[in-house]
Structure formats: structure tokens, C-alpha cells
Amino acid sequence: MKRTSRYTASALVLMSLSVSACAQDVKVMISGGFKAALEKLAPEYERQTGDKIVVIPGPSMGNTPQAIPNRLARGEKADVVIMVGDALAKLEQDRRTAAGSRVELADSPVGMVVKAGAPVPDISTVPALRQTLLKAHSMAYSDSASGRYVESQLFRKLGIDGQVHDKAHRVERIPVASEVAKGKYDLGFQQVSELLPVPGVTFVGKLPDDMQYITRFAGAVTQKADHPEQGKALLTFLASPQAASVITATGLTPVSAPRNTAR
């Protein structure tokens, strides 16, 4: 009995040492929409696994060198990418991600901010949103999925494309809210999860349901991952019920939760 106990204890120690020896740096290329959630969840995941998450931020799309597709195209390494689902699909088509590794994570609506201390406008209804945009001296939107929607569809749906054309500006790479906080623009549009972490702004609210656009975030293991198994484990954790409350707190809706299916 004592011998069995000694063998069991030894096995546990060896297992612990093995896990420690196998701990890896897991490189994650990630766009802004899911970045706040990952940063909040990382400490617990690292505690559980011993792995360290290395965050490499960049937009899901666009022409900037920091955009995830551009990083991968010039040979930068990552184990996992987490980004807008449509952009991830393009990487899948280009065989830059491992087949079958995609994991759906969360959905994010579009919202609006103003500079902290500025009057908070009404965007609770479509007519109120239209009037707020017409009265604004300037506004900004991102160069990613939410911004493309604002630029190509939202203004047209509101019937104000011509009136706001000269005062609406695309912000590349950096958070739109940071430019609003500096006073460069009166209003800023981006996914809610990208607006909430930025200081110096007031979150006005989400777009009305009839004008809303939901962005899906998903992750996948890259084709050239150094640590594919650790990458799969991270994505499984991020999609688990354990992570859902943190993801919700950052302005996202976990894929497993009930949601408005507007696209």
C-alpha cells in the first residue's frame, strides 16, 4: 500500500514537471474586437495551463502593415488568429489556417461614443440617429468590418450619404474612440467591444436594431503554427462556458448565448 502511494506521488510529480517543461508561448494575432476579452481571460488560462499568451494586435483587414492578413503574408508567425469571421474565411480560402480548426467565438454590435464631458446625443431611434449625424460637425469610423458597414451602408440607409460625406472620416489601425477622446471628431463608430476599453470617451449606445450590423469573431490555428495543440486548447477555452461571462462584460455576445440574429 505504501509502495503504491509512493509510486502515485512520484507519478504526480513527474506529470507536474512534464506540464511545466511543456509550457509554451502561444502567439495570438488578434483584432481589436476580441482583444479586451482575451486580455481579461489570459491570466486564468495561463494559470491553468502554464502556457503564456503573447498578444500580437492588428486589424482583421485593410491596407496597413499591421493587418493580420498582411502580417501572415510577409511571413510573421502566429499559432492562433482571432479576427472578424469574414476575414478569417479569406485566410481559410488561402490555406493560411489549419483545416477544421475554426472556432466561432462571439458577436459584436456597432456602437457610438463622444468625447467625455460632451453632450450625449440621442441615437435610440432611427430618426434620432439621423438627426444626430446631420448635426455633428465630424465623425469617424474604423477601417475594419464595422467601418465598412458605416461607410457603405449605414449612411445610405439613413438617406444622408451626400450630407455627411465630407465630414465622415475613416481611421486606420488605431481605435476610433482614441481619436474622439483627443477631440479630433465629434462622434465615433466602432464595434462596442472596441469602444468600451478606451478612456476619455462616453459610450452613447448601440445603433438602433433596424440600423444594426453584427460582426462575428472567430479563431483558428494557423497553417504554420509552432504550437498547434496549444492553439486548439486556447480556442476551446475561449469558446467554453467558463469564458462566457468575461466575454459578455466586454460588450460581446458569446456564440453559445441567445442573441438577436441581425446581420
Side-chain angles (χ1 to χ4, degrees):
M1 188 71 174
K2 289 182 179 179
R3 180 178 296 179
T4 302
S5 297
R6 285 199 303 270
Y7 286 159
T8 301
S10 297
L12 290 173
V13 170
L14 288 172
M15 185 180 298
S16 175
L17 291 173
S18 175
V19 170
S20 178
C22 292
Q24 303 291 349
D25 285 355
V26 183
K27 294 183 179 180
V28 182
M29 284 188 184
I30 185 167
S31 61
F34 201 84
K35 182 169 175 283
L38 178 65
E39 290 176 339
K40 289 180 180 297
L41 289 164
E44 176 60 22
Y45 183 77
E46 292 174 342
R47 186 191 68 79
Q48 291 182 19
T49 64
D51 291 334
K52 180 183 178 182
I53 296 174
V54 179
V55 175
I56 305 170
S60 293
M61 58 191 76
N63 298 321
T64 65
Q66 294 84 0
I68 292 172
N70 298 336
R71 287 181 181 275
L72 294 177
R74 63 174 178 263
E76 289 193 36
K77 298 295 290 291
D79 298 301
V80 171
V81 291
I82 298 175
M83 56 200 295
V84 171
D86 291 345
L88 180 57
K90 180 64 167 59
L91 292 184
E92 292 170 336
Q93 291 171 7
D94 294 342
R95 298 184 180 180
R96 294 196 180 277
T97 60
S101 68
R102 175 168 172 151
V103 176
E104 308 299 321
L105 295 174
D107 289 340
S108 179
V110 178
M112 193 181 86
V113 294
V114 294
K115 182 178 172 62
V120 178
D122 182 10
I123 63 168
S124 60
T125 65
V126 174
L129 175 63
R130 181 183 294 111
Q131 287 305 309
T132 291
L133 298 190
L134 289 173
K135 290 178 182 177
H137 293 101
S138 61
M139 62 195 75
Y141 49 86
S142 78
D143 63 344
S144 196
S146 62
R148 294 188 180 193
Y149 166 72
V150 170
E151 181 181 61
S152 65
Q153 297 185 52
L154 177 63
F155 297 148
R156 179 173 49 80
K157 287 181 178 180
L158 291 169
I160 59 172
D161 200 5
Q163 293 107 306
V164 302
H165 182 269
D166 292 336
K167 58 182 181 179
H169 306 272
R170 182 190 304 163
V171 174
E172 294 191 348
R173 188 176 59 84
I174 60 176
V176 171
S178 66
E179 296 294 88
V180 176
K182 296 173 186 174
K184 291 187 177 181
Y185 306 103
D186 292 344
L187 312 175
F189 294 96
Q190 202 160 9
Q191 288 141 6
V192 172
S193 58
E194 296 189 66
L195 298 174
L196 293 181
V198 179
V201 296
T202 299
F203 178 62
V204 176
K206 303 174 186 177
L207 296 181
D209 288 346
D210 290 348
M211 295 289 118
Q212 188 54 261
Y213 177 80
I214 303 297
T215 300
R216 165 64 55 88
F217 286 93
V221 176
T222 65
Q223 189 69 255
K224 297 182 179 180
D226 289 331
H227 310 298
E229 293 306 315
Q230 286 83 355
K232 290 177 184 177
L234 173 60
L235 291 175
T236 298
F237 171 77
L238 294 176
S240 71
Q242 182 182 356
S245 62
V246 173
I247 290 172
T248 300
T250 63
L252 297 163
T253 302
V255 167
S256 58
R259 68 177 52 76
N260 184 329
T261 57
R263 292 283 167 189

